[in-house]
Amino acid sequence: MSAEFLSICEYLPARLKKSLLMLDGEKKSTCEEIRLRANKPLCLTVKNKVLYVSSSGQTSEHITGNTVSVSISEIKETFLNLCKNSVYAHEKELKQGFIILPYGSRAGVCGNFGDSALCDVSSVNIRIAHEVIGCADTVLPYIKSGTVILGAPGSGKTTLLRDIVRMLSYKNKRISVIDSRGEISGSSRGVSYLDLGPNTDILLIKNKALGCEMALRTLYPEIIAFDEIGNMAELKSVMQLLNAGVSIITTAHIGNENDILRRNITRSLLESGAVENVVLLSEKSRKIPRVFSVSEILSNYDY
Amino acid sequence: MIIKLSGVCFIMFCAYAAGSVKSHSLIARKNALQDVLKGIKMLKTRLLYSDFEIQTVLYESFFECECISLCGNKAYVCGNELKKEDTELLSQFFSLLGTSDRNSECERAKMYENLLSDRLCDAESEAKSGCRLIKTLSICIGLAVCILII
């Protein structure tokens, strides 16, 4: 984890890099996000808490006199470094508001989104990916067929999905991963930096429904995995996969457990029969995901 | 007599050589501008049609160009073939390369391509007329020196 943090620091201007490198080891290894906003304090997200960084590497939950402030020129410098001085080469990603970095990290970019391009970048949020090898140990025995991982943003859905794919791939399951943002595989410029196992094919394609169709026709997978099922087109492709005898592993956002059946997409997914297991992640149970069968969920939760 | 003749030949040869060296610098500038212009055209195509990062695009466009030196994401003008104004123009172009979207990059490349084309035209006409003039002048000076000495 610290290695990813250090690699992210290389994109930052010298002054900010110096402050971040003075952080203690624990903060470096547990840091989830580095947020830079023009003329605002430099802050980190560590274990879901926002911390402000001082010039001496100390952190605080409040803004102090020593808190490092990020200048507009430093934002611009960071942005150009993230693009490796090739803004045009990242146009497609920037239109969606982010830049994919090696090792699965992602930099969300905010600014003035003009008609043709992003101009006047005002803030950058660098989300540090962390591969947790072995985090799927507790859930893998229960995953026999279709599985959906539910949780709030930042609860570790992608991390768990990645590890499940890795472990199943090492058990010689043929897996196709539809990776729309390069987050699952940590891919950048055609190179996958995270371990998804020896039997995994990775499709980097924005349209997940189309990706599922392509994988089904050409890669003959036993399992198809993708992140964040979010619309009816993707659900429709899931049904096609079910009809073709392919299992799916996917994730979906929920705010809390009551949202499972309130959200149309999650309810439709559970009722479709495409998934048999639900893995529930919450902030409290981050390290110990809970596994339910779909019938349990459908019978126990109220609409 | 023989010594005088050989002296005259030597002076004429030196004068002609000096004239050739001077005119060579005009031709070198013309050739350098042609190479750079070719590189910018290739750069424009790659910017328009590829997603390669700037380091790759620069290398593929300018690797044959002797007056451009590449270092990572940056390109610099090197050597003495180009005039100071040419060097400044190219430095301006390279300093902002890669900092904007595809359309803007292509428009900028097109603008600099046009500016350099004008300079190339000037360099070509300068080389054509200047070379002849310099060589003729050098021969005349050589002759004048010979006459003075003799």
Side-chain angles (χ1 to χ4, degrees):
Chain A
M1 176 61 164
S2 189
E4 281 95 354
F5 181 86
L6 294 174
S7 72
I8 295 294
C9 286
E10 292 303 316
Y11 294 107
L12 302 177
R15 190 178 69 102
L16 304 180
K17 182 178 167 184
K18 189 179 162 192
S19 301
L20 290 174
L21 289 178
M22 288 199 276
L23 290 170
D24 60 68
E26 203 217 328
K27 296 264 175 0
K28 282 181 192 168
S29 57
T30 53
C31 179
E32 291 151 14
E33 289 172 346
I34 299 173
R35 287 181 179 262
L36 288 76
R37 297 182 179 97
N39 297 328
K40 298 278 189 306
L42 171 65
C43 51
L44 310 177
T45 306
V46 177
K47 293 179 186 171
N48 250 0
K49 273 191 195 163
V50 173
L51 299 173
Y52 299 101
V53 183
S54 72
S55 48
S56 57
Q58 302 297 316
T59 55
S60 160
E61 289 184 33
H62 308 284
I63 300 170
T64 63
N66 289 333
T67 303
V68 174
S69 181
V70 184
S71 66
I72 295 174
S73 60
E74 284 171 333
I75 293 267
K76 279 187 184 164
E77 190 185 333
T78 305
F79 175 64
L80 285 175
N81 289 343
L82 289 167
C83 295
K84 292 186 186 169
N85 277 306
S86 312
V87 175
Y88 64 90
H90 296 269
E91 224 171 66
K92 283 178 198 162
E93 294 164 12
L94 285 168
K95 278 180 183 166
Q96 297 173 70
F98 61 83
I99 302 166
I100 299 171
L101 304 174
Y103 305 104
S105 297
R106 190 174 62 166
V109 180
C110 256
N112 179 4
F113 283 85
D115 287 336
S116 60
L118 170 66
C119 37
D120 303 328
V121 178
S122 59
S123 67
V124 175
N125 172 28
I126 305 174
R127 193 158 174 185
I128 303 172
H130 44 280
E131 187 182 30
V132 181
I133 304 280
C135 66
D137 281 343
T138 49
V139 301
L140 203 65
Y142 303 101
I143 294 174
K144 292 184 176 40
S145 53
T147 300
V148 60
I149 303 167
L150 301 175
S155 56
K157 299 187 295 297
T158 307
T159 308
L160 184 62
L161 174 70
R162 190 183 295 125
D163 204 48
I164 291 173
V165 166
R166 185 188 65 83
M167 292 176 95
L168 289 172
S169 184
Y170 274 105
K171 289 186 177 198
N172 295 330
K173 294 284 183 189
R174 285 192 313 277
I175 307 182
S176 296
V177 169
I178 315 300
D179 198 357
S180 58
R181 289 187 302 240
E183 274 189 305
I184 305 174
S185 59
S187 292
S188 177
R189 304 262 136 204
V191 178
S192 169
Y193 290 91
L194 300 175
D195 182 14
L196 289 181
N199 288 298
T200 306
D201 298 304
I202 301 162
L203 268 97
L204 294 171
I205 182 168
K206 192 180 156 194
N207 185 334
K208 281 175 266 187
L210 179 60
C212 288
E213 197 183 321
M214 284 165 66
L216 189 63
R217 285 185 188 177
T218 60
L219 299 172
Y220 310 108
E222 293 173 75
I223 300 171
I224 290 185
F226 57 92
D227 210 2
E228 293 177 24
I229 184 166
N231 58 49
M232 296 314 282
E234 284 160 16
L235 183 63
K236 201 174 163 190
S237 70
V238 163
M239 294 311 300
Q240 275 181 325
L241 296 174
L242 175 69
N243 293 337
V246 176
S247 300
I248 66 146
I249 307 174
T250 186
T251 68
H253 281 313
I254 53 164
N256 55 56
E257 290 168 23
N258 296 328
D259 286 345
I260 295 176
L261 295 177
R262 276 195 207 134
R263 269 194 85 205
N264 278 340
I265 196 73
T266 44
R267 190 176 71 240
S268 305
L269 180 64
L270 295 182
E271 288 173 349
S272 68
V275 295
E276 287 185 17
N277 306 295
V278 174
V279 179
L280 205 54
L281 291 171
S282 64
E283 184 45 45
K284 289 174 194 169
S285 71
R286 220 167 170 180
K287 291 185 181 171
I288 312 167
R290 292 177 289 161
V291 185
F292 300 96
S293 67
V294 166
S295 51
E296 272 182 283
I297 299 273
L298 290 174
S299 59
N300 289 342
Y301 282 90
D302 293 328
Y303 280 75
Chain B
M1 188 63 189
I2 295 171
I3 293 171
K4 275 187 183 173
L5 209 57
S6 53
V8 161
C9 291
F10 179 72
I11 289 166
M12 290 303 295
F13 174 76
C14 288
Y16 185 76
S20 295
V21 165
K22 182 66 189 164
S23 63
H24 176 73
S25 66
L26 295 175
I27 296 170
R29 180 181 174 233
K30 183 196 87 173
N31 291 339
L33 283 173
Q34 267 174 352
D35 284 344
V36 170
L37 202 56
K38 184 176 149 193
I40 290 182
K41 283 179 183 170
M42 285 166 70
L43 180 88
K44 204 175 72 179
T45 309
R46 282 173 176 79
L47 286 174
L48 194 58
Y49 295 113
S50 81
D51 270 347
F52 295 137
E53 288 180 345
I54 199 71
Q55 190 170 349
T56 310
V57 167
L58 279 173
Y59 176 76
E60 287 183 358
S61 307
F62 291 104
F63 76 96
E64 281 181 338
C65 196
E66 288 172 6
C67 61
I68 302 290
S69 149
L70 302 173
C71 180
N73 291 336
K74 301 284 178 195
Y76 305 97
V77 182
C78 62
N80 297 322
E81 293 96 354
L82 295 172
K83 283 186 181 174
K84 192 181 168 191
E85 307 90 66
D86 302 332
T87 306
E88 276 171 10
L89 186 70
L90 285 171
S91 300
Q92 243 177 41
F93 172 65
F94 288 126
S95 66
L96 291 174
L97 200 55
T99 58
S100 52
D101 64 285
R102 201 180 299 273
N103 283 342
S104 308
E105 291 290 344
C106 292
E107 290 297 313
R108 262 186 77 243
K110 198 174 168 184
M111 182 185 84
Y112 278 89
E113 191 188 331
N114 291 338
L115 288 170
L116 281 168
S117 294
D118 293 339
R119 282 175 190 255
L120 178 63
C121 288
D122 291 339
E124 278 170 344
S125 57
E126 205 180 307
K128 198 175 171 185
S129 56
C131 284
R132 209 182 300 156
L133 179 66
I134 288 170
K135 281 179 183 165
T136 312
L137 207 58
S138 61
I139 290 172
C140 292
I141 291 172
L143 268 172
V145 168
C146 291
I147 289 167
L148 275 170
I149 291 173
I150 292 167

